[in-house]
Amino acid sequence: MKTIYKFGVIPSLPTALEPLLELAKNMWWAWNFDAVELFFRIDNDLWYKVGHNPIALLGQVSQQRLENLSKDNAYLHSLERVMARFHDAMDKGRECELEGGEGLKVGYFSLEFGLHESLPIYSGGLGVLAGDHLKSTSDVGLPLVGVGLLYREGYFRQYLNPDGWQQETYPDNDFLNMPIQEIKDEAGRPVLIDVDFPDRKVHARIWRVMVGRTPLILLDTNIPENTLDDREITAQLYGGDVEMRLKQELVLGYGGISALHAMGFEPNVFHMNEGHSAFLGLMRIKNLMAEKALNFREAMEACSACNVFTTHTPVPAGIDKFTPSLMDKYFWKYREEVGISRDEFLALGRENATNVEENFSLAVLAIRLSDRYNGVSELHGKVARDMWKSLWKDIPAAEVPISHVTNGIHNKTWVSHELGSLFDRYLSPRWREYPEDPEVWRRVEQIPDAELWRTHERRRERLVAFVRDRARKSFIKKGGSKAELALADELLNPDALTIGFARRFATYKRAPLIFSDLDRIIRLLQDTHRPIQLIFAGKAHPKDNNGKELIRQIIHHLRREELSRRVVFIEDYDMNVARYMLQGVDVWLNNPRRPLEASGTSGMKAAANGGLNLSILDGWWCEGYRPDTGWRIGTGEEYSDLTLQDDVESRDLYNVLEKEIIPAFYTRGKDGLPREWISMMKDTFKHLSPVFNTNRMVTDYAEKFYVPALDRWNIMARDEFHGARELTSWKAKVQGAWHEVKVLTAHFSGSTEEIKVRDEVKVDVEVHLGGLSPEDVTVQALFGKVSPEEELITPTISTLSPSRELGDGRWAYSGDIQCNESGQHGFSIRLVPFNAALSFGHETGLIRWG
């Protein structure tokens, strides 16, 4: 085969237009409409043809067009104005105000990042959330660098066969024509890092994406230095088999740490966005052992102090797990290098450390190698505590140290240009920079109802035009008939109540639920006076045939004559399709099986555009729902009979549509305005926009996790890691002596018949501490009402004080508890290890109940 010598060709821009290339290389343009406008003014048709990719646009537009623009004073004035804003944002942007956050530098690892459709290295909500996270860290000035993989093919492109069955294609990404930059050394050679596999080194080159002020580092193994197999590691997002997933996660975790070092980034807090990046903890331990002569446990203690783990998964089936034999294949060398046994290593990823049959879980590894953990909504935090409570044996689920930070969205990315301009006039541009400020959003009452409604109607009209254009192009591509092309121009009604449903087609999300009673939904769709229409979009995982079947069902429904113009499915869902839908629908539908929706950010994006949510009380909607911001399906029930659940909740869905949503939309005043609906839109802005945004979210992460993690890292690292050595030694001492610790006696003063509300009861306890001292152990009384099952109901926890030493390792403790309610009460005594250097009270996982 002949050799092809490759080289890159970059756009040749006239001097006056050279700032366009600087702008194109920073994703800041993607959430600033006047910057986007600069690109589509160059060549509107080409802009859409290249998938809204500014680098590709500048490389393909004719030189004559560029020469003409370089002499267009109006265009040059716009360019100058945008570049001034861009440089102000980069050089004089908002400063992060964090108490105690001096020197904070965060490394944020994720297997996918959804920044824009022109950089297709995301599949859905997890990646888009990660992309919005980076955008908001840029906005608020939080020092953070993202780390991920650069996929040659990204996630698949979707099309449907004549039967409605999903098909996948995997077109290659052209990195040189994407808004990314390859990192090269001073000699112009690509900077490569090595990832240690047990029998070889896998090499990766480094690419960088600037997301405003926040850098994103991406690793790519598709280089000549690797074998053909290793070049495939970064071929597809979520592609390949289980072993390929492990190799991708090794490159992300191990390689990500090496890439940060090669780029001169030295984070002191590491955030794992899902368990995919858990191997970074192992790499950090190995590096610290080599640098500071620590043993494995000491290095683990130090590194865990500044690791943060966010779980997005509400079911065990969604966790990446690997067989012990596969872990042996890839980690035997690591075990030897850090000096731990096979059993010790495998225990790091097992819920039951002694179960030799259990597979190795990356989520468990991430928990074991972190000190701070969170779910992504309040309900998901509770689900995660129940899901992982076995890792803290004998500790009540409510006290499992997994908290939550509810997800948000990047408002500037998702709010439509038309609505944003309206906000600029009535709320002031402050809504863009401080979306978390409630005072900003109270001003929505100043927006005239007619102006808000007309803005929303324009967005619905644009959505309908987009759907028709996509359908027409799809019919042409598939060789459609004249009748099909004519149908494309008649799809949907730009004035009808429009309901959107777009997300991953997993079975628990129940996309076809609204078709449970076909006669009833057909009657609603065919109502000529108060019509409704449905728009669906979304992909099923290529290996999820059940999810593909849901898509096929919807396609067969919409092909019925009664539905053919009123129900549509948009193929190849991506961020561009999402923007049109989320900005244009009236109602956003979400009907998962509670509690399987960890958060769900699409509903937040619809709400940010004035769309009203109709949803199961799951994920974020448990916090966002109010009667004046949308509608709920059910009241938060959970079912064991799934058939019954579908029947009950589909009926409720229809009832809410018929009795509440449709009347509210079509009840108009003499001026033709749906006043009740507009009032709900304004309440949605006021109550949801200041809460469910990523500016608030990243500030929560900084205050609740990043700054405390930095503080604890500093404690561990003091005096050449004396803090880590000391705490490791103390934990070993407590672990070795804990079998001696027990509660000997416990009693309280007074008669049970004489205790009155607000009386104080004295509790006296005798405990045996063995070789431990009172400084090592906290004695707690848990006091509260007793359930019929003899369990304490949300008990109050009171710490008892040592009153005297009794000899032979025995100590007396006492304290007072107050009875604040009448009824049957009780108390329990427990002992837990205590050390001021612990991250949280149950960090050791040890507990002794009386």
Side-chain angles (χ1 to χ4, degrees), residues 94 135 150 171 188 200 230 251 341 344 397 404 431 439 463 509 513 536 658 694 720 729 799 807 809 811 819:
R94 179 173 165 184
K135 293 171 185 176
L150 183 61
R200 67 193 185 281
D230 289 342
V251 171
S341 69
E344 286 176 304
H404 77 279
W431 77 270
E439 290 300 320
L463 169 60
K509 294 178 183 282
L513 186 68
F536 291 88
E658 291 174 343
T694 41
E720 286 298 297
S729 175
T799 299
W811 288 80
C819 307

Side-chain angles (χ1 to χ4, degrees), residues 160-450:
L160 304 181
N161 71 12
D163 189 44
W165 191 258
Q166 174 182 289
Q167 306 290 302
E168 298 89 27
T169 62
Y170 295 88
D172 281 356
N173 288 322
D174 180 2
F175 296 161
L176 295 180
N177 274 312
M178 294 170 68
I180 57 178
Q181 294 172 278
E182 186 178 9
I183 302 302
K184 297 183 178 181
D185 62 20
E186 294 178 355
R189 295 169 304 209
V191 174
L192 302 183
I193 57 99
D194 297 332
V195 181
D196 282 332
F197 278 42
D199 57 346
R200 67 193 185 281
K201 289 186 182 295
V202 173
H203 311 283
R205 59 180 163 177
I206 305 173
W207 299 77
R208 178 176 61 203
V209 184
M210 289 307 301
V211 187
R213 292 182 286 175
T214 299
L216 169 60
I217 305 303
L218 300 171
L219 300 179
D220 163 29
T221 66
N222 184 28
I223 54 177
E225 289 81 357
N226 287 327
T227 65
L228 291 177
D229 286 343
D230 289 342
R231 292 179 69 162
E232 292 297 303
I233 292 175
T234 55
Q236 295 176 3
L237 172 61
Y238 303 135
D241 56 14
V242 171
E243 185 168 356
M244 177 58 76
R245 176 69 64 86
L246 185 147
K247 290 192 285 188
Q248 288 184 333
E249 291 165 339
L250 262 177
V251 171
L252 175 63
Y254 282 21
I257 295 295
S258 299
L260 286 173
H261 183 71
M263 292 287 293
F265 296 112
E266 299 295 344
N268 43 32
V269 171
F270 294 81
H271 188 165
M272 308 176 204
N273 189 43
E274 252 312 338
H276 307 130
S277 49
F279 292 141
L280 76 84
L282 297 177
M283 185 66 168
R284 292 191 62 225
I285 291 170
K286 176 183 169 182
N287 289 348
L288 194 60
M289 289 175 67
E291 293 167 9
K292 299 297 180 181
L294 302 175
N295 65 36
F296 182 84
R297 292 294 164 185
E298 291 166 345
M300 178 177 165
E301 195 67 64
C303 292
S304 298
C306 58
N307 287 344
V308 176
F309 170 51
T310 296
T311 174
H312 296 257
T313 307
V315 290
I319 302 297
D320 284 349
K321 293 182 179 180
F322 306 112
T323 62
S325 61
L326 190 60
M327 295 303 294
D328 288 340
K329 177 178 177 180
Y330 282 90
F331 289 95
W332 64 266
K333 187 177 178 181
Y334 179 88
R335 299 195 313 255
E336 291 183 356
E337 289 172 333
V338 300
I340 59 174
S341 69
R342 178 179 186 268
D343 289 342
E344 286 176 304
F345 177 80
L346 292 176
L348 293 172
R350 287 172 168 166
E351 289 186 60
N352 180 354
T354 62
N355 181 2
V356 297
E357 301 297 325
E358 186 179 337
N359 287 337
F360 190 97
S361 162
L362 280 199
V364 173
L365 178 66
I367 290 173
R368 291 242 164 84
L369 299 186
S370 302
D371 274 357
R372 283 165 179 80
Y373 338 91
N374 71 282
V376 289
S377 68
E378 185 176 9
L379 177 59
H380 182 233
K382 179 182 181 301
V383 170
R385 287 190 290 276
D386 287 335
M387 186 171 165
W388 300 115
K389 62 187 177 183
S390 66
L391 298 179
W392 289 271
K393 190 177 179 182
D394 296 330
I395 293 170
E399 293 184 60
V400 168
I402 300 176
S403 59
H404 77 279
V405 173
T406 300
N407 282 343
I409 65 160
H410 187 247
N411 290 54
K412 288 187 285 187
T413 293
W414 296 104
V415 171
S416 73
H417 168 59
E418 293 89 346
L419 186 59
S421 297
L422 193 66
F423 288 161
D424 285 343
R425 290 201 298 277
Y426 291 98
L427 276 62
S428 87
R430 184 176 171 84
W431 77 270
R432 298 179 185 273
E433 304 308 321
Y434 293 89
E436 70 274 29
D437 182 0
E439 290 300 320
V440 170
W441 296 101
R442 291 194 179 99
R443 299 177 189 174
V444 296
E445 294 296 350
Q446 299 175 16
I447 303 175
D449 286 358

Side-chain angles (χ1 to χ4, degrees), residues 37 42 71 92 170 225 290 316 330 378 393 452 497 509 520 583 590 601 606 617 643 679 720 740 748 823:
E37 192 175 36
I42 294 175
K71 300 168 187 173
K92 305 173 187 175
Y170 295 88
E225 289 81 357
Y330 282 90
E378 185 176 9
K393 190 177 179 182
L452 176 59
L497 172 60
K509 294 178 183 282
R520 195 170 180 181
Q583 294 170 0
N590 187 30
T601 55
L617 285 174
T643 302
S679 175
E720 286 298 297
E740 300 179 28
F748 64 94

